[in-house]
Amino acid sequence: MDTMKAIWWTGKDRIELVDVPIPEVTPGTVKVKLTYAAMCATDMHMVSMGAMNAVMREGGQCLGHEGSGEIVELGEGTQNSGFQIGDKVVMFPGSPCGICDNCKNGYRQYCRNAARMNTFCQYTVTKPSGIYKIPNDADMQRYALVEPTVCTIRAMDLSPISHGQSVLVSGIGGIGSILLNMVILSGASKITVSDPIAQKRDNALSMGAEYAIDPMNEDIVERGMEITNGRGYDHVFEVSGVPAAAPSCIDLLARCGTVTYFAVYPPTYEIPINLHSLYMKEGRIHTVFTSPDIMQRAIELMPRLQTDKIIGKVFDLKDGMEAIEAFHSSIYPKILLKCN
Amino acid sequence: MDTMKAIWWTGKDRIELVDVPIPEVTPGTVKVKLTYAAMCATDMHMVSMGAMNAVMREGGQCLGHEGSGEIVELGEGTQNSGFQIGDKVVMFPGSPCGICDNCKNGYRQYCRNAARMNTFCQYTVTKPSGIYKIPNDADMQRYALVEPTVCTIRAMDLSPISHGQSVLVSGIGGIGSILLNMVILSGASKITVSDPIAQKRDNALSMGAEYAIDPMNEDIVERGMEITNGRGYDHVFEVSGVPAAAPSCIDLLARCGTVTYFAVYPPTYEIPINLHSLYMKEGRIHTVFTSPDIMQRAIELMPRLQTDKIIGKVFDLKDGMEAIEAFHSSIYPKILLKCN
Amino acid sequence: MDTMKAIWWTGKDRIELVDVPIPEVTPGTVKVKLTYAAMCATDMHMVSMGAMNAVMREGGQCLGHEGSGEIVELGEGTQNSGFQIGDKVVMFPGSPCGICDNCKNGYRQYCRNAARMNTFCQYTVTKPSGIYKIPNDADMQRYALVEPTVCTIRAMDLSPISHGQSVLVSGIGGIGSILLNMVILSGASKITVSDPIAQKRDNALSMGAEYAIDPMNEDIVERGMEITNGRGYDHVFEVSGVPAAAPSCIDLLARCGTVTYFAVYPPTYEIPINLHSLYMKEGRIHTVFTSPDIMQRAIELMPRLQTDKIIGKVFDLKDGMEAIEAFHSSIYPKILLKCN
Amino acid sequence: MDTMKAIWWTGKDRIELVDVPIPEVTPGTVKVKLTYAAMCATDMHMVSMGAMNAVMREGGQCLGHEGSGEIVELGEGTQNSGFQIGDKVVMFPGSPCGICDNCKNGYRQYCRNAARMNTFCQYTVTKPSGIYKIPNDADMQRYALVEPTVCTIRAMDLSPISHGQSVLVSGIGGIGSILLNMVILSGASKITVSDPIAQKRDNALSMGAEYAIDPMNEDIVERGMEITNGRGYDHVFEVSGVPAAAPSCIDLLARCGTVTYFAVYPPTYEIPINLHSLYMKEGRIHTVFTSPDIMQRAIELMPRLQTDKIIGKVFDLKDGMEAIEAFHSSIYPKILLKCN
């Protein structure tokens, strides 16, 4: 049996680079040879704190849910699925079944029988309902970012920024820099970022942010109020996932403003919210999951993604453990794995 | 081979009651025994003027796309679709394939490979992706109205009525009375209907409309302006599909108002719109198709549907030709067929 | 100097019925003779816990901000304001100045120079920018409820209910029953109320609620999940303002649902929110202030308000202290004062 | 009496450069010394075809409604309006009265007693309710574009572009290039412009448009379908105001798309709309007026306006007739007048 390299969740807080059998195509599925995978905090949070209600499967499991690849085999019954061998593609993490209640009611992101796939490996097998074609001449590094872009577009859909509204983005790492890109692709004014790492603040400013705050050395609320002439921000997007950064977002809010807690916070964390204060501002709190309905829109938007600023480093899959270490160092915005 | 009664489109402007073979279940489909079907103008418009771009299939075809029924057979591979024999169900006219671009992008109503079904007959076969369970003790006449209710909810989704906004509904026949029901289930004020038939106006008033206009004997614009104290209506829903009724809707509009041309108009009809006048009011024109995502919401709303006012008459399927005649008489709001 | 009766905030937790000079009209203002006032929890919360950041003015102040009345005097410069002596009117609590930044940017509810008025008295003086005409033959008790209706419409505007979405209203006292009325005037399904007082639950059911939960003797989350077939509610409106009722609202939420904390909570109360759980549902938390832009829409909607169920008791202004006692007993939905 | 230069509408199709008395400040108004004015097609359309229902006032009238300036005199009663002599400002064309029904209901753009002002002159007098401060060090040419930007933001508010949706802008002259700027400041994909003038197409491409169509030498529908892979555009904004360009916008529309007829069309022009075709796509037609509520948001967005591409030429007010000629030549995007 042929094997492939894969980054595997093998136990509590344990990730390993392993050789595993290449998954085989079954009826109704297709096989994708991965080109690039992108690393996401959620992959790590599943392992370290059970985020997404994740419980390791018996025998462990492959990590990774962002990536680009190429169709290499069509399972029985998928010949009319619109795909051909050689098609360049990207995938939604769960291919919807189409017949559970959530699928039939327009909430395919909550499909009860989604076919999962993984990307920190060389091949993955999944159903066509979650696979999307990209251009044949696509830059495969760029398109490896389609899935995280979907999540940030979901944030834009749920908390739309009206032209001229002020926006602050807290936390501009991998996903934060993609969300910042979406904010720059909006009519936002006074685009402000907050991050303790100077290099990330500089990167954000070079992307188009107008103000940068160092929350370790500046009073973020005071500085934010100064920037907004005392009004506060119409939108605050908290992307760091750091509990310490969460409460001040509400203080930074303008009347009728929205805080979007975009990140996946530790499952045990509870933020204390003063409802009277929130009421006096008529404030709103949003969270953001995802939706496969956005995949095509994200694909269309790829040409406008500043990948030179967002992709921080590319590792070979065989150097995966090094990539994970680099991820935890928090220096780079987005880290990619070359899956060959 | 067993046969069933069916109302068949057999040629240009020709509809007949026929005996045809009962359709057989195939892999991936289930068979539904129909209980009640509801008649819709679209069925007739397809035959008479090619509405919905309909072209009669070789050998003719069964009509009807609204109805309620019961699962009587599960095709191969549908055992895990969530349905069991005996389940009471309603159907969306086209069961989405789940893998074409429209399905994958959240526009399942525009599925390129939808599995059709029909209801002016005793049995129909279709895929589970368009079938929805209803309560076991459901009033099957009431639930036969789920599909047209979906269309009217789509109108509410696309042209939402804010509490206190004024609303006029033009044309209160079958679908018009369901749409009126949706408007009554909103914060609409000054709910006004317009219809040339006195009996329908009376029915609408008994449902909860506050004002009724006879467009044949009253100046609808003058009367509408009087009712709204010269402001015009925030929403006008044109449901009659009669070209003569279309242009005055725009004159009836308040500043920042919306005309929703809900009906299916003759494919050759062109309405002249004065864009300068529309601009001065900042008016909007909407049309309404449908969406399967709404099916479950319509099911949940069935208890609030005034079926005693909406269902005008019930015919046995074997008296189908009489039912069609009654339909063309335009006396009754909604006509049902008992499909036994 | 002529005097009038008034209910006065005279000190910490102290309210008294007093005789005070009738306020005099000044340039740019008009004088309104009040007909009915309605009591609101906010009036009491200002006194007891400083809600709305209220600080008693030197010499105390009149309470009340909901009411209906009649124009009795036009101050200098208001002759062209569109009002005439004898006009029946209702008032927004703060007449906007029209020139501060909030007014000019469409947030007139946050006017920095609003002219206040009061209603627990016989006469009040304010600016025309916050006064709205009602029909000459208006039922003045009914229209005394315009202002609280505005707040509940604001809730509908900010958290719109799509047709078929399920809704729970927690707390159905005065404002709760008006909000329930707005929910009934929507396409809500499975309309559920929760209140510890049996009489209020019965009243709600008679208004059109479909389910009632007694949170003292039933597990509200378990019961709510049962009613919604395990989905939870698409909308939960918490109107009681009781901290103990707040956290379970989030547990009652369906995926992609919204909790609207409508009430004015104690200024010191902090609700703990688990952001990870909220994220898994893609839940939203909204609060609701108000807006004068809604006054006219509320006026238009008055004919559809079930005042027979909402108005619990009417006291004469001279029996005001008794009215306040009745208010604290929480037996009646809405209490009115006859201001003569 | 001191006089000033002004561009005056003096008769049917007649515009002249005249010397007129400088308007005097009256109670409740302030005087603004204009710095720059911007020319708009509407100014010309009023004169040539009575657009905006304009009727020339007895004695003629000053033209122009876009501009920037400086407060030079405060009328009686405006000392507390928040303005001081020397403040840099921009103005909404009609200062709202704050007490008519439209003002009180949140439609201040339809104020029945708006105080008008003009900008093709050296001084103008108006009420503070329509005046907005800009930074003291503002580039006065850039801020002269606030008012047209407001209109284009209104288009974004009414027809919001979701990230990844495709957009076509038809007509990229003065206002078209500002609207294009707003589209670029959105998550639009496949940003396409259409204009017969090569120079304007090149300018648009340099601003960030991705595709340009020459409607005189290319089949715009065919080319648009090619660019969008046969889907059509999610949004089409028609800004040229040329009747010949209007109908094809609907053919260019994707399913569930929106055509925004942004321009002011000739008052006699009627566009024929096939409602059946529009229905099959579930298409929408929007128009766009304006709103003062957007002024501050436009001010905040000025730093992101590509004025180097939008401002085509600046004339001295005394060369106003030459400026009008240049305007009619349609070569430049936006033409400014220096009002000294």
Side-chain angles (χ1 to χ4, degrees), chain B residues 313-335:
Chain B
K313 202 165 167 64
V314 183
F315 289 87
D316 276 343
L317 181 58
K318 68 176 165 47
D319 302 323
M321 299 313 292
E322 206 180 311
I324 286 171
E325 214 167 302
F327 181 90
H328 286 302
S329 77
S330 277
I331 304 169
Y332 305 109
K334 201 75 185 175
I335 292 173

Side-chain angles (χ1 to χ4, degrees), chain C residues 215-255:
Chain C
M216 293 303 150
N217 295 299
E218 293 179 278
D219 180 320
I220 187 173
V221 176
E222 194 179 291
R223 182 72 185 110
M225 285 297 162
E226 190 179 58
I227 293 167
T228 58
N229 300 318
R231 286 194 188 98
Y233 290 93
D234 295 311
H235 285 277
V236 177
F237 293 92
E238 212 301 299
V239 195
S240 76
V242 177
S248 60
C249 294
I250 292 175
D251 301 323
L252 283 158
L253 210 55
R255 47 151 185 45

